[in-house]
Amino acid sequence: MEEPRKLKGHKASTTCCIASQNRPGFIATADEDGCVCWFDLRCKDKIFTMDVGNGNPVSSICFKPGNEDVVYVSLGSEVKCFDVNMVTASKLLHSYNYNKDEINQIACSSKSSFLAAADDSGDVKIIDIRQNRMYKTLRGGHTSICSSVQFIPWRPWEVITGGLDSKFVLWDFSKGRPRKIWDFGTLNAGNKGDTGQCLNAAFVHALALPEVDVVDKFVKICAVARGDEVVSVINVESELNAVKSKSSAKPKKGSKSTPKVGGSSADPEIENQNGGDLHLDHSLGGHTAAVSCVTFSTFGDKGKFIISGGNDRQVKVWDWVKFFMAGETISGTDFLRSSLSLSRKVNWLCTTPTDSENLIVCDTSKIVKVYNIG
């Protein structure tokens, strides 16, 4: 593997990054000093730097879908919204202070109606960004830190969250309650020793979902970066259909009311799942330490690869489609497309929709690396 291109501009460890889908090669990276650096990969140097945190680390950053001139940044318990249309300058548009604890990740819905902010208390705040007001608090799904949140592109009123309680929760945020909870901790308790792997706690560190145009070609899945060295690929629709079937089959006791679809009651079903999902672990060439981040490829055949980064200083490129297209008869070694060895632990990564310089990696250094993935 050739040496990566190195982007300089940060004075502290980089924490996260995003890549424009409308302007290929245009990326933003953030760091622990509260700065956001903007790069155009067609140019040699950075375009400009935004000091958004006054020394406080930036934990997450995202574009507003449909309008990438607007960007959201989280730091501490606050979310800030900026207009970056001027290219060499930015303007603060809004500031949201609804979270009571440190925010770990923010995400914007595909219709640009809502923004979700997951924090250390386990809560998720859903903010109406059209009316700039609080919409709903999602509480009770996690018993520990909520580390990640993503809207489900093909389900406009649902989000998925992951936490350091090893829970993976699907919410109906219009009602403010879970529809389904997966417990990876329970799954691990039954599987320890199967792979010869030394399993750490199955904390959920990051989530990624493909865009709508991708799921139309493939399967409606979610990729989960786990603390026990595993990348899980969950067939979301298959799991929800199973819940719906169980809910519909329950006998009605003294009531003629129709059961709620998907088990969306105050007591969501909790189960450890295995069938129909793919778990990419060390035995398949996977990570040997906690997986810290995960994303879908936006280059080439969009969404065909899942890319994960870990505390083992490795980046893995996975061909997940083979499992769902060919079933479980495929050889396990065929899932790993390629692997990159880095000198630092990986904090975050993202991809660009270009044929080269298409993988951006933020590690624990202040230098952003750019790789070519074929």
Side-chain angles (χ1 to χ4, degrees):
M1 177 62 65
E2 63 186 51
E3 282 293 306
R5 177 180 175 182
K6 297 179 181 179
L7 304 180
K8 299 180 180 180
H10 290 287
K11 297 179 180 179
S13 297
T14 55
T15 55
C16 53
C17 54
I18 51 173
S20 170
Q21 299 304 303
N22 299 330
R23 293 169 286 186
F26 191 65
I27 66 171
T29 59
D31 66 24
E32 291 184 346
D33 271 357
C35 290
V36 176
C37 292
W38 294 86
F39 298 92
D40 185 336
L41 296 180
R42 298 171 299 178
C43 306
K44 182 179 179 181
D45 301 313
K46 67 180 179 181
I47 303 174
F48 74 103
T49 300
M50 299 163 51
D51 185 355
V52 301
N54 297 317
N56 296 310
V58 175
S59 58
S60 185
I61 183 170
C62 68
F63 284 118
K64 182 177 183 179
N67 182 9
E68 292 185 346
D69 290 334
V70 176
V71 66
Y72 296 91
V73 178
S74 63
L75 49 142
S77 59
E78 183 180 19
V79 179
K80 292 182 178 181
C81 175
F82 294 92
D83 184 345
V84 294
N85 185 44
M86 298 302 291
V87 179
T88 57
S90 61
K91 176 184 177 182
L92 180 65
L93 299 178
H94 303 288
S95 180
Y96 306 106
N97 291 276
Y98 299 118
N99 292 78
K100 303 300 182 185
D101 217 328
E102 297 265 333
I103 297 171
N104 294 305
Q105 189 177 30
I106 54 175
C108 196
S109 66
S110 59
K111 300 295 184 181
S112 300
S113 303
F114 299 98
L115 182 127
D119 67 30
D120 277 359
S121 72
D123 290 353
V124 179
K125 302 294 183 180
I126 305 294
I127 302 166
D128 184 333
I129 54 177
R130 289 184 175 174
Q131 301 186 40
N132 293 312
R133 64 180 181 86
M134 181 68 185
Y135 178 76
K136 196 84 69 173
T137 296
L138 307 183
R139 181 175 293 147
H142 294 284
T143 57
S144 183
I145 292 170
C146 185
S147 56
S148 53
V149 60
Q150 292 291 332
F151 286 89
I152 303 180
W154 59 91
R155 287 179 171 266
W157 293 100
E158 295 179 17
V159 296
I160 286 183
T161 61
L164 302 193
D165 53 1
S166 302
K167 299 288 199 322
F168 170 63
V169 185
L170 187 146
W171 303 79
D172 178 341
F173 69 85
S174 68
K175 299 177 181 177
R177 58 179 182 241
R179 284 196 60 189
K180 181 175 175 64
I181 299 175
W182 291 260
D183 187 344
F184 289 118
T186 305
L187 173 63
N188 276 354
N191 285 351
K192 281 187 178 180
D194 287 357
T195 64
Q197 198 173 356
C198 179
L199 296 179
N200 299 314
F203 297 154
V204 177
H205 291 299
L207 303 169
L209 289 104
E211 297 177 16
V212 172
D213 55 345
V214 174
V215 298
D216 286 343
K217 293 187 299 180
F218 301 128
V219 184
K220 295 175 179 177
I221 62 163
C222 178
V224 184
R226 292 166 45 175
D228 58 348
E229 310 161 16
V230 178
V231 176
S232 287
V233 186
I234 307 300
N235 190 334
V236 176
E237 291 303 305
S238 175
E239 296 283 354
L240 286 177
N241 288 337
V243 173
K244 181 178 178 180
S245 298
K246 290 179 183 178
S247 176
S248 300
K250 288 180 180 177
K252 305 179 184 67
K253 297 181 179 180
S255 172
K256 295 183 179 180
S257 60
T258 304
K260 295 179 179 179
V261 175
S264 56
S265 62
D267 243 345
E269 179 184 20
I270 301 178
E271 69 176 43
N272 53 354
Q273 37 65 52
N274 218 344
D277 302 323
L278 175 62
H279 302 285
L280 302 165
D281 61 19
H282 181 58
S283 68
L284 300 177
H287 293 277
T288 57
V291 187
S292 55
C293 50
V294 65
T295 191
F296 283 88
S297 58
T298 56
F299 52 81
D301 194 357
K302 190 176 180 182
K304 186 177 188 297
F305 301 116
I306 287 173
I307 305 175
S308 58
N311 291 349
D312 56 357
R313 299 176 296 180
Q314 295 280 316
V315 171
K316 306 286 184 178
V317 181
W318 302 97
D319 188 350
W320 67 273
V321 176
K322 292 180 178 180
F323 176 80
F324 293 97
M325 296 296 113
E328 297 187 53
T329 56
I330 188 170
S331 170
T333 56
D334 292 338
F335 294 121
L336 184 63
R337 170 68 179 265
S338 61
S339 183
L340 304 177
S341 295
L342 284 64
S343 60
R344 302 280 191 120
K345 295 179 180 180
V346 182
N347 283 333
W348 207 254
L349 47 76
C350 65
T351 63
T352 67
T354 54
D355 292 333
S356 62
E357 296 191 334
N358 46 22
L359 174 63
I360 316 300
V361 178
C362 290
D363 58 26
T364 55
S365 75
K366 58 185 178 182
I367 307 295
V368 179
K369 281 80 174 179
V370 184
Y371 293 87
N372 297 314
I373 303 295

